[in-house]
Amino acid sequence: MTDLRLGIDVGGTNTDAVVLDGEGRVIAKAKRPTTPDVTGGLCAALDAVLTELEGKDEQDVRGRIGRVMLGTTHATNAILERRGLGRVAVLRLGAPATTSVPPLGDWPAGLRAAVSAGEAIVPGGHYVDGREIAPLGLDAIRRFLDGVKADAVAVTGVFSPASDEHERRVEELVRAEYGLRVSVSREIGSLGLLERENATVLNAALYGVAAHVTDALVSALAERGLGARPYLAQNDGTLMTLEHAARLPVSTIGSGPANSLRGAAYLSGVDDAIVVDVGGTSTDLGVLVGGFPRESAAAVEIGGVLTNFRMPDILAIALGGGTVARADGIGPDSVGYRIAQEALVFGGSTPTLTDAATAAGRVPHDAEGWRERLKDARSDANARTIADVLESALARADEMIADAVDRMALGRADRPLVVVGGGAFVLPARIPGASRVIRPEHAEVANAVGAAIALASGRVDTILPAGENRTDAIERAKEEARARAVAAGADPTGVEVVDLLEVPLSYLSEPAVRVHVKAAGPLAG
């Protein structure tokens, strides 16, 4: 019987792991420091949660774990650190219409040098109504690819969400004649040529990183005798198979905040709320709408590059349990994973937000000895100074949280606020702008819970005619979204359309609508 699910989430400070039973209850959890290579912390958290399970005399624990879900920062770190990225041949299908703005023109020089094997704009692409800008220049594509040395090819056609015919033909050519991996823009971004092109190139650059992550995860499971099927978390709060992740690794960027939001909804039982995830270094705020993260409507910057693929609407502030407290305020620097050595409540010498919260009586239930050690730290001649620093720092932190909540609420004060994360205890019992504050059980590992309970999903963002065939066209878009959900690992019998948005495009010569469809369902057995 494989009735257990194991969720792992790699954060900036800690890596969390949880095991859920067949009823969806948390039966084991662990939190371990994230390591520079990421994989070390992952394995440590995995070992810790398995040891806890086996210590409870659970029968055949390893054989009962049927699925392992991982939310990881590997892809984000690779882009930020310019490490492990592949060389990409960048092809834009859009001449002669788009030649005045070259590809990657706004990229940071270091990232562009690490990724680009060469860029070309060739004839092709479509207008918004589906008409060709120019016939596809296959000979120009061959001349370009013959002159570059690349690990993968990124193909972006003008208005490919309206018609992807040219992208599909180029993908077939590259695979057949050059044997290279191909990243096509219609699978990744929505309307907006430059941002979609950027996301497509990043996706192609991450193919090697994705292979490293999946190999490391599969090896870690095999070494521990786990035959569970692994999945990776996406940045919309859903999952995908390793095969799907190998094709769309850019979808793992931002999965951590999305996992926290989904975990907060699951643990609290609230589907519409503001979520505050307090970590060791930063605090992320997001909004739940129908149990899923509210998505950002603006272009998202990753490593200095603007993209337009789906990302949760997250506000991050430099405030966490390890944030350093000073006489003139708090942060933005943090002791991070060194909090267990440096904070006053752990016998260290650095005043932190954790110390300030403890001094105010905001102490987690498992904070054994915190108050006593803080009292010892304040027993010298500087006691009054330390007390003043902690008091003023906590007041400033409360102001920062209230301001951030107000920014995310968008004028609505009727939503509850769900507080999760390892530093959740530092927040006050009442926060302006929220109807009430909810602190669910297991809140400190909400991100790993979010990974463990996630569904698989697929989506389509396209332009459709608004005439007599509109209904049939929308049904086809729904079917495509369902098919993409199944490809990501969903059970075909349980996939449902969970989001449908139509936006009329009135500036076209012929009536049309932009249609966004999202389908999701439980993982296939």
Side-chain angles (χ1 to χ4, degrees), residues 433-516:
S435 60
R436 58 192 172 107
V437 176
I438 302 173
R439 302 174 188 270
E441 187 180 8
H442 308 301
E444 73 278 11
V445 290
N447 45 8
V449 171
I453 58 96
L455 307 173
S457 73
R459 64 178 63 213
V460 171
D461 194 336
T462 188
I463 298 173
L464 302 175
E468 296 179 358
N469 297 325
R470 170 178 158 275
T471 301
D472 292 341
I474 289 177
E475 285 302 316
R476 287 195 298 272
K478 289 181 179 179
E479 285 303 315
E480 184 176 351
R482 293 188 187 100
R484 292 188 180 187
V486 171
D491 183 342
T493 62
V495 174
E496 297 180 355
V497 173
V498 297
D499 189 23
L500 175 61
L501 177 66
E502 294 183 57
V503 180
L505 302 179
S506 57
Y507 51 82
L508 301 180
S509 58
E510 297 292 333
V513 293
R514 179 180 177 182
V515 174
H516 174 89

Coordinates of all heavy atoms in Angstrom, one line a residue, residues 433-516:
G433 N -5.9 45.9 8.7 CA -6.1 45.5 7.3 C -6.6 44.1 7.1 O -6.9 43.7 6.0
A434 N -6.6 43.3 8.2 CA -7.1 41.9 8.2 C -8.2 41.7 9.2 O -8.2 42.3 10.3 CB -6.0 41.0 8.5
S435 N -9.2 41.0 8.8 CA -10.4 40.7 9.7 C -10.0 39.9 10.9 O -10.5 40.1 12.0 CB -11.5 40.0 8.9 OG -11.1 38.8 8.4
R436 N -9.1 39.0 10.7 CA -8.6 38.2 11.9 C -7.3 37.5 11.4 O -7.0 37.4 10.2 CB -9.6 37.1 12.3 CG -10.0 36.1 11.1 CD -11.2 35.3 11.5 NE -11.7 34.5 10.4 CZ -11.6 33.2 10.3 NH1 -11.0 32.5 11.3 NH2 -12.0 32.5 9.3
V437 N -6.5 37.1 12.4 CA -5.2 36.4 12.2 C -5.4 34.9 12.5 O -5.8 34.6 13.6 CB -4.1 37.0 13.0 CG1 -2.8 36.3 12.8 CG2 -3.9 38.5 12.6
I438 N -5.1 34.1 11.5 CA -5.2 32.6 11.7 C -3.8 32.0 11.8 O -2.9 32.3 10.9 CB -6.0 32.0 10.6 CG1 -7.4 32.6 10.5 CG2 -6.1 30.5 10.7 CD1 -8.2 32.1 9.3
R439 N -3.5 31.2 12.8 CA -2.2 30.5 12.9 C -2.5 29.0 12.9 O -2.7 28.4 14.0 CB -1.5 31.0 14.2 CG -1.3 32.5 14.3 CD -0.7 32.9 15.6 NE -0.6 34.3 15.8 CZ 0.4 35.1 15.4 NH1 1.5 34.5 14.9 NH2 0.4 36.4 15.6
P440 N -2.5 28.4 11.8 CA -2.8 26.9 11.7 C -1.7 26.0 12.3 O -0.6 26.4 12.4 CB -3.0 26.7 10.2 CG -2.1 27.7 9.5 CD -2.2 28.9 10.4
E441 N -2.1 24.8 12.7 CA -1.1 23.8 13.1 C -0.2 23.5 12.0 O -0.7 23.4 10.8 CB -1.9 22.6 13.6 CG -1.0 21.6 14.3 CD -1.7 20.4 14.8 OE1 -2.9 20.3 14.5 OE2 -1.1 19.5 15.5
H442 N 1.0 23.2 12.3 CA 2.1 22.9 11.3 C 2.4 24.0 10.4 O 2.9 23.8 9.3 CB 1.7 21.7 10.5 CG 1.2 20.5 11.3 ND1 2.0 19.9 12.2 CD2 0.0 19.8 11.3 CE1 1.4 18.9 12.8 NE2 0.2 18.8 12.2
A443 N 2.1 25.3 10.8 CA 2.3 26.4 10.0 C 3.8 26.6 9.6 O 4.1 27.1 8.5 CB 1.8 27.7 10.7
E444 N 4.7 26.1 10.5 CA 6.1 26.3 10.2 C 6.6 25.5 9.0 O 7.7 25.8 8.4 CB 6.9 25.9 11.4 CG 7.1 24.5 11.7 CD 5.9 23.9 12.5 OE1 4.8 24.6 12.6 OE2 5.9 22.7 12.9
V445 N 5.9 24.5 8.5 CA 6.2 23.7 7.4 C 5.2 23.8 6.3 O 5.0 22.9 5.5 CB 6.5 22.3 7.7 CG1 7.8 22.2 8.5 CG2 5.4 21.6 8.5
A446 N 4.5 24.9 6.2 CA 3.4 25.1 5.3 C 3.8 24.9 3.8 O 3.1 24.4 3.0 CB 2.7 26.4 5.5
N447 N 5.1 25.4 3.5 CA 5.5 25.3 2.2 C 5.7 23.8 1.7 O 5.4 23.5 0.6 CB 6.9 26.0 2.0 CG 7.9 25.8 3.1 OD1 7.6 24.9 4.0 ND2 8.9 26.5 3.1
A448 N 6.2 23.0 2.6 CA 6.3 21.6 2.3 C 5.0 20.9 2.2 O 4.8 20.0 1.3 CB 7.2 20.8 3.3
V449 N 4.0 21.3 3.0 CA 2.7 20.8 2.9 C 2.1 21.2 1.6 O 1.4 20.4 0.9 CB 1.8 21.3 4.1 CG1 0.3 21.0 3.9 CG2 2.3 20.8 5.4
G450 N 2.3 22.4 1.2 CA 1.8 22.9 -0.1 C 2.3 22.0 -1.3 O 1.5 21.7 -2.2
A451 N 3.5 21.6 -1.2 CA 4.1 20.7 -2.3 C 3.4 19.4 -2.2 O 3.1 18.8 -3.2 CB 5.6 20.6 -2.1
A452 N 3.2 18.9 -1.0 CA 2.7 17.5 -0.8 C 1.2 17.4 -1.3 O 0.8 16.3 -1.8 CB 2.8 17.1 0.6
I453 N 0.4 18.4 -1.2 CA -1.0 18.3 -1.5 C -1.4 18.9 -2.9 O -2.5 18.9 -3.3 CB -1.9 19.0 -0.4 CG1 -1.5 20.5 -0.3 CG2 -1.7 18.3 0.9 CD1 -2.3 21.5 -1.1
A454 N -0.4 19.3 -3.6 CA -0.7 20.1 -4.9 C -1.2 19.1 -6.0 O -1.0 17.9 -6.0 CB 0.6 20.7 -5.4
L455 N -2.0 19.8 -6.9 CA -2.6 19.1 -8.0 C -1.6 19.3 -9.2 O -0.6 20.0 -9.1 CB -3.9 19.7 -8.4 CG -5.0 19.8 -7.2 CD1 -6.2 20.6 -7.7 CD2 -5.3 18.4 -6.8
A456 N -1.9 18.6 -10.3 CA -1.2 18.9 -11.6 C -2.1 19.8 -12.4 O -3.3 19.7 -12.4 CB -0.9 17.6 -12.3
S457 N -1.5 20.6 -13.2 CA -2.3 21.6 -14.0 C -1.7 21.8 -15.4 O -0.6 21.5 -15.7 CB -2.3 22.9 -13.3 OG -1.1 23.6 -13.4
G458 N -2.5 22.4 -16.2 CA -2.1 22.9 -17.6 C -2.9 24.1 -17.9 O -4.0 24.3 -17.4
R459 N -2.4 24.9 -18.8 CA -3.0 26.2 -19.1 C -2.8 26.5 -20.6 O -1.8 26.1 -21.2 CB -2.6 27.3 -18.2 CG -1.2 27.7 -18.3 CD -0.9 28.9 -17.4 NE -1.1 28.5 -16.0 CZ -1.5 29.4 -15.1 NH1 -1.8 30.6 -15.4 NH2 -1.7 29.0 -13.9
V460 N -3.7 27.4 -21.1 CA -3.6 27.9 -22.5 C -3.9 29.4 -22.4 O -4.9 29.8 -21.8 CB -4.6 27.2 -23.4 CG1 -4.7 27.8 -24.8 CG2 -4.2 25.7 -23.6
D461 N -3.1 30.2 -23.1 CA -3.4 31.6 -23.3 C -3.3 31.9 -24.7 O -2.2 31.8 -25.4 CB -2.3 32.4 -22.5 CG -2.7 33.8 -22.3 OD1 -3.5 34.4 -23.1 OD2 -2.2 34.5 -21.4
T462 N -4.4 32.2 -25.4 CA -4.5 32.4 -26.8 C -5.5 33.4 -27.2 O -6.2 34.0 -26.4 CB -4.9 31.0 -27.4 OG1 -4.7 31.1 -28.9 CG2 -6.3 30.6 -27.1
I463 N -5.5 33.7 -28.5 CA -6.4 34.7 -29.1 C -7.4 33.9 -30.0 O -6.9 33.2 -30.9 CB -5.7 35.8 -29.9 CG1 -4.8 36.6 -28.9 CG2 -6.6 36.7 -30.6 CD1 -3.9 37.6 -29.6
L464 N -8.7 34.2 -29.9 CA -9.7 33.4 -30.6 C -10.6 34.4 -31.3 O -10.9 35.5 -30.8 CB -10.5 32.5 -29.7 CG -9.7 31.5 -28.9 CD1 -10.7 30.8 -27.9 CD2 -9.0 30.5 -29.8
P465 N -11.2 34.0 -32.5 CA -12.2 34.9 -33.1 C -13.4 35.0 -32.3 O -13.8 34.0 -31.6 CB -12.5 34.1 -34.4 CG -12.1 32.7 -34.2 CD -10.9 32.8 -33.2
A466 N -14.1 36.1 -32.3 CA -15.3 36.3 -31.5 C -16.6 36.1 -32.3 O -17.6 36.6 -31.9 CB -15.3 37.7 -30.9
G467 N -16.5 35.4 -33.4 CA -17.7 35.2 -34.3 C -18.5 34.0 -33.9 O -18.5 33.6 -32.7
E468 N -19.1 33.4 -34.9 CA -20.0 32.2 -34.7 C -19.3 31.0 -34.1 O -19.8 30.2 -33.4 CB -20.7 31.9 -36.0 CG -21.6 33.0 -36.5 CD -22.3 32.6 -37.8 OE1 -22.0 31.4 -38.3 OE2 -23.1 33.3 -38.4
N469 N -18.0 30.9 -34.4 CA -17.2 29.7 -34.0 C -16.5 29.9 -32.7 O -15.7 29.1 -32.2 CB -16.1 29.3 -35.0 CG -16.8 28.9 -36.4 OD1 -17.8 28.3 -36.4 ND2 -16.1 29.3 -37.5
R470 N -16.8 31.0 -32.0 CA -16.2 31.3 -30.7 C -16.4 30.2 -29.7 O -15.4 29.8 -29.0 CB -16.7 32.6 -30.2 CG -16.2 33.0 -28.8 CD -16.8 34.3 -28.4 NE -16.8 34.5 -26.9 CZ -17.8 34.0 -26.2 NH1 -18.9 33.5 -26.8 NH2 -17.8 34.2 -24.9
T471 N -17.6 29.7 -29.5 CA -17.9 28.7 -28.5 C -17.1 27.4 -28.8 O -16.5 26.9 -27.9 CB -19.4 28.3 -28.5 OG1 -20.1 29.5 -28.2 CG2 -19.7 27.3 -27.5
D472 N -17.0 27.0 -30.1 CA -16.2 25.8 -30.4 C -14.7 26.1 -30.1 O -14.0 25.2 -29.7 CB -16.4 25.5 -31.9 CG -17.8 25.0 -32.1 OD1 -18.5 24.6 -31.2 OD2 -18.2 25.0 -33.3
A473 N -14.3 27.3 -30.4 CA -12.8 27.6 -30.2 C -12.5 27.6 -28.7 O -11.4 27.1 -28.4 CB -12.5 29.0 -30.8
I474 N -13.4 28.1 -27.9 CA -13.1 28.0 -26.5 C -13.1 26.6 -26.0 O -12.3 26.2 -25.1 CB -14.2 28.9 -25.7 CG1 -14.0 30.4 -26.0 CG2 -14.2 28.6 -24.2 CD1 -15.0 31.3 -25.4
E475 N -14.0 25.8 -26.5 CA -14.0 24.4 -26.1 C -12.7 23.7 -26.5 O -12.2 22.8 -25.7 CB -15.2 23.6 -26.7 CG -16.5 23.9 -26.1 CD -16.5 23.6 -24.6 OE1 -16.0 22.5 -24.2 OE2 -17.0 24.5 -23.8
R476 N -12.2 24.0 -27.6 CA -10.9 23.5 -28.0 C -9.8 23.9 -27.1 O -8.8 23.2 -26.8 CB -10.5 23.9 -29.5 CG -11.4 23.1 -30.5 CD -10.8 23.3 -31.9 NE -10.7 24.7 -32.4 CZ -11.7 25.3 -33.0 NH1 -12.9 24.6 -33.3 NH2 -11.6 26.6 -33.4
A477 N -9.8 25.2 -26.7 CA -8.8 25.7 -25.7 C -8.9 25.0 -24.4 O -7.9 24.7 -23.8 CB -9.0 27.2 -25.5
K478 N -10.2 24.7 -24.0 CA -10.3 23.9 -22.7 C -9.7 22.5 -22.8 O -9.1 22.0 -21.9 CB -11.8 23.8 -22.4 CG -12.5 25.1 -21.9 CD -14.0 24.9 -21.6 CE -14.6 26.1 -21.1 NZ -16.1 25.9 -20.8
E479 N -10.0 21.9 -24.0 CA -9.5 20.6 -24.2 C -7.9 20.6 -24.2 O -7.3 19.7 -23.7 CB -10.0 20.0 -25.5 CG -11.4 19.5 -25.4 CD -11.7 18.5 -24.3 OE1 -10.8 17.6 -24.2 OE2 -12.6 18.7 -23.5
E480 N -7.3 21.6 -24.8 CA -5.9 21.7 -24.8 C -5.3 21.9 -23.4 O -4.3 21.3 -23.0 CB -5.4 22.9 -25.7 CG -3.9 22.9 -25.9 CD -3.5 24.0 -26.8 OE1 -4.3 24.6 -27.5 OE2 -2.2 24.3 -26.9
A481 N -6.0 22.7 -22.6 CA -5.6 22.9 -21.2 C -5.7 21.6 -20.4 O -4.8 21.3 -19.6 CB -6.4 24.0 -20.6
R482 N -6.8 20.9 -20.7 CA -6.9 19.6 -20.0 C -5.8 18.6 -20.4 O -5.2 17.9 -19.6 CB -8.3 18.9 -20.3 CG -9.5 19.7 -19.7 CD -10.7 18.9 -19.9 NE -11.9 19.6 -19.5 CZ -12.7 20.3 -20.4 NH1 -12.5 20.2 -21.7 NH2 -13.8 20.9 -19.9
A483 N -5.5 18.6 -21.7 CA -4.4 17.7 -22.2 C -3.1 18.1 -21.6 O -2.2 17.2 -21.3 CB -4.3 17.8 -23.7
R484 N -2.8 19.4 -21.4 CA -1.5 19.8 -20.8 C -1.5 19.4 -19.3 O -0.4 19.1 -18.8 CB -1.4 21.3 -21.0 CG -1.2 21.8 -22.4 CD -0.8 23.3 -22.5 NE -0.6 23.7 -23.9 CZ -0.2 24.8 -24.3 NH1 0.1 25.8 -23.4 NH2 0.0 25.1 -25.6
A485 N -2.6 19.5 -18.7 CA -2.7 19.0 -17.3 C -2.3 17.5 -17.2 O -1.6 17.1 -16.3 CB -4.0 19.3 -16.7
V486 N -2.9 16.7 -18.1 CA -2.6 15.3 -18.1 C -1.1 15.1 -18.4 O -0.5 14.2 -17.8 CB -3.5 14.6 -19.2 CG1 -3.0 13.1 -19.4 CG2 -4.9 14.6 -18.8
A487 N -0.5 15.9 -19.3 CA 0.9 15.7 -19.6 C 1.7 16.1 -18.4 O 2.8 15.5 -18.3 CB 1.3 16.6 -20.8
A488 N 1.2 17.0 -17.5 CA 2.0 17.3 -16.3 C 1.8 16.3 -15.2 O 2.5 16.4 -14.2 CB 1.5 18.7 -15.8
G489 N 0.9 15.3 -15.4 CA 0.8 14.2 -14.4 C -0.6 14.0 -13.8 O -0.7 13.2 -12.9
A490 N -1.6 14.8 -14.3 CA -2.9 14.7 -13.7 C -3.7 13.4 -14.2 O -3.4 12.9 -15.3 CB -3.7 15.9 -14.1
D491 N -4.6 13.0 -13.4 CA -5.4 11.8 -13.8 C -6.5 12.3 -14.8 O -7.2 13.3 -14.5 CB -6.2 11.3 -12.5 CG -7.0 10.1 -12.8 OD1 -7.4 9.8 -14.0 OD2 -7.4 9.4 -11.8
P492 N -6.5 11.8 -16.0 CA -7.5 12.3 -17.0 C -8.9 12.3 -16.5 O -9.7 13.2 -17.0 CB -7.3 11.3 -18.2 CG -5.9 10.7 -18.0 CD -5.7 10.6 -16.5
T493 N -9.3 11.4 -15.6 CA -10.7 11.3 -15.2 C -11.0 12.4 -14.2 O -12.2 12.6 -13.9 CB -11.0 9.9 -14.6 OG1 -10.2 9.7 -13.4 CG2 -10.7 8.8 -15.6
G494 N -10.0 13.1 -13.6 CA -10.3 14.0 -12.6 C -10.0 15.5 -12.9 O -10.1 16.4 -12.1
V495 N -9.6 15.7 -14.2 CA -9.1 17.1 -14.6 C -10.4 17.9 -14.8 O -11.3 17.5 -15.5 CB -8.3 17.0 -15.9 CG1 -8.0 18.4 -16.3 CG2 -7.0 16.3 -15.6
E496 N -10.3 19.1 -14.2 CA -11.4 20.1 -14.4 C -10.8 21.5 -14.8 O -9.7 21.8 -14.4 CB -12.2 20.2 -13.1 CG -12.9 19.0 -12.7 CD -13.7 19.2 -11.4 OE1 -13.6 20.3 -10.8 OE2 -14.4 18.3 -10.9
V497 N -11.6 22.3 -15.5 CA -11.2 23.6 -15.8 C -11.5 24.5 -14.5 O -12.7 24.5 -14.1 CB -12.0 24.2 -17.0 CG1 -11.7 25.7 -17.2 CG2 -11.6 23.4 -18.3
V498 N -10.5 25.1 -14.0 CA -10.6 25.8 -12.7 C -10.6 27.3 -12.9 O -10.9 28.1 -12.0 CB -9.5 25.4 -11.7 CG1 -9.7 23.9 -11.3 CG2 -8.1 25.7 -12.2
D499 N -10.2 27.7 -14.1 CA -10.2 29.2 -14.4 C -10.4 29.4 -15.9 O -9.7 28.8 -16.7 CB -8.8 29.8 -13.9 CG -8.8 31.3 -14.0 OD1 -9.8 31.9 -13.9 OD2 -7.7 31.8 -14.0
L500 N -11.3 30.4 -16.2 CA -11.5 30.7 -17.6 C -11.7 32.2 -17.6 O -12.6 32.8 -17.0 CB -12.8 30.0 -18.1 CG -13.2 30.4 -19.5 CD1 -12.2 30.1 -20.6 CD2 -14.5 29.7 -19.9
L501 N -10.9 32.9 -18.4 CA -10.9 34.4 -18.5 C -11.0 34.8 -19.9 O -10.2 34.3 -20.7 CB -9.7 35.0 -17.8 CG -9.6 36.5 -17.9 CD1 -10.7 37.2 -17.1 CD2 -8.2 36.9 -17.3
E502 N -11.9 35.6 -20.3 CA -12.1 36.2 -21.6 C -11.9 37.7 -21.6 O -12.6 38.4 -20.8 CB -13.4 35.8 -22.2 CG -13.7 34.3 -22.5 CD -15.0 34.1 -23.1 OE1 -15.3 34.7 -24.2 OE2 -15.9 33.4 -22.5
V503 N -11.0 38.2 -22.5 CA -10.8 39.6 -22.6 C -11.0 40.1 -24.0 O -10.3 39.7 -24.9 CB -9.4 40.0 -22.1 CG1 -9.2 41.5 -22.2 CG2 -9.1 39.5 -20.7
P504 N -12.1 40.9 -24.3 CA -12.3 41.3 -25.7 C -11.2 42.2 -26.2 O -10.6 43.0 -25.4 CB -13.6 42.1 -25.6 CG -14.2 41.7 -24.3 CD -13.1 41.3 -23.4
L505 N -10.7 42.0 -27.4 CA -9.7 42.8 -28.0 C -10.3 43.7 -29.1 O -10.5 43.3 -30.2 CB -8.6 41.9 -28.7 CG -7.9 40.9 -27.7 CD1 -6.9 40.1 -28.5 CD2 -7.2 41.6 -26.6
S506 N -10.8 44.9 -28.6 CA -11.6 45.7 -29.5 C -10.8 46.5 -30.5 O -11.4 47.1 -31.4 CB -12.4 46.7 -28.6 OG -11.5 47.5 -27.8
Y507 N -9.5 46.5 -30.5 CA -8.7 47.3 -31.4 C -8.4 46.6 -32.7 O -7.7 47.1 -33.5 CB -7.4 47.7 -30.7 CG -6.6 46.6 -30.1 CD1 -5.7 45.8 -30.9 CD2 -6.7 46.4 -28.7 CE1 -5.0 44.8 -30.3 CE2 -6.0 45.3 -28.2 CZ -5.1 44.5 -29.0 OH -4.4 43.5 -28.4
L508 N -8.9 45.4 -32.9 CA -8.6 44.6 -34.1 C -9.7 44.9 -35.2 O -10.8 45.3 -34.9 CB -8.6 43.1 -33.8 CG -7.6 42.7 -32.7 CD1 -7.7 41.1 -32.6 CD2 -6.2 43.0 -33.2
S509 N -9.3 44.7 -36.4 CA -10.2 44.9 -37.5 C -11.3 43.9 -37.5 O -12.5 44.2 -37.9 CB -9.4 44.8 -38.9 OG -8.8 43.6 -39.0
E510 N -11.0 42.7 -37.0 CA -12.0 41.6 -36.8 C -12.2 41.3 -35.3 O -11.2 41.2 -34.6 CB -11.6 40.4 -37.6 CG -11.5 40.5 -39.1 CD -12.9 40.8 -39.7 OE1 -13.9 40.3 -39.1 OE2 -12.9 41.4 -40.8
P511 N -13.4 41.2 -34.8 CA -13.6 41.0 -33.4 C -12.9 39.7 -32.9 O -12.9 38.7 -33.6 CB -15.1 40.8 -33.3 CG -15.7 41.4 -34.5 CD -14.7 41.3 -35.6
A512 N -12.2 39.8 -31.8 CA -11.5 38.7 -31.2 C -11.5 38.8 -29.7 O -11.7 39.9 -29.1 CB -10.1 38.6 -31.8
V513 N -11.2 37.7 -29.0 CA -11.0 37.7 -27.6 C -9.8 37.0 -27.2 O -9.3 36.0 -27.9 CB -12.2 37.0 -26.9 CG1 -13.5 37.8 -27.0 CG2 -12.4 35.6 -27.4
R514 N -9.1 37.5 -26.1 CA -8.0 36.8 -25.6 C -8.6 35.8 -24.5 O -9.3 36.2 -23.6 CB -7.0 37.7 -24.9 CG -5.8 37.0 -24.3 CD -4.9 38.0 -23.6 NE -3.8 37.4 -22.9 CZ -2.8 38.0 -22.3 NH1 -2.8 39.3 -22.2 NH2 -1.9 37.3 -21.7
V515 N -8.2 34.5 -24.6 CA -8.8 33.5 -23.7 C -7.7 32.9 -22.9 O -6.6 32.4 -23.4 CB -9.5 32.4 -24.5 CG1 -10.0 31.3 -23.6 CG2 -10.7 33.1 -25.2
H516 N -7.8 32.9 -21.6 CA -6.9 32.2 -20.7 C -7.7 31.1 -20.0 O -8.7 31.3 -19.3 CB -6.4 33.2 -19.6 CG -5.5 32.5 -18.6 ND1 -4.2 32.3 -18.8 CD2 -5.8 31.9 -17.4 CE1 -3.7 31.7 -17.7 NE2 -4.6 31.5 -16.9

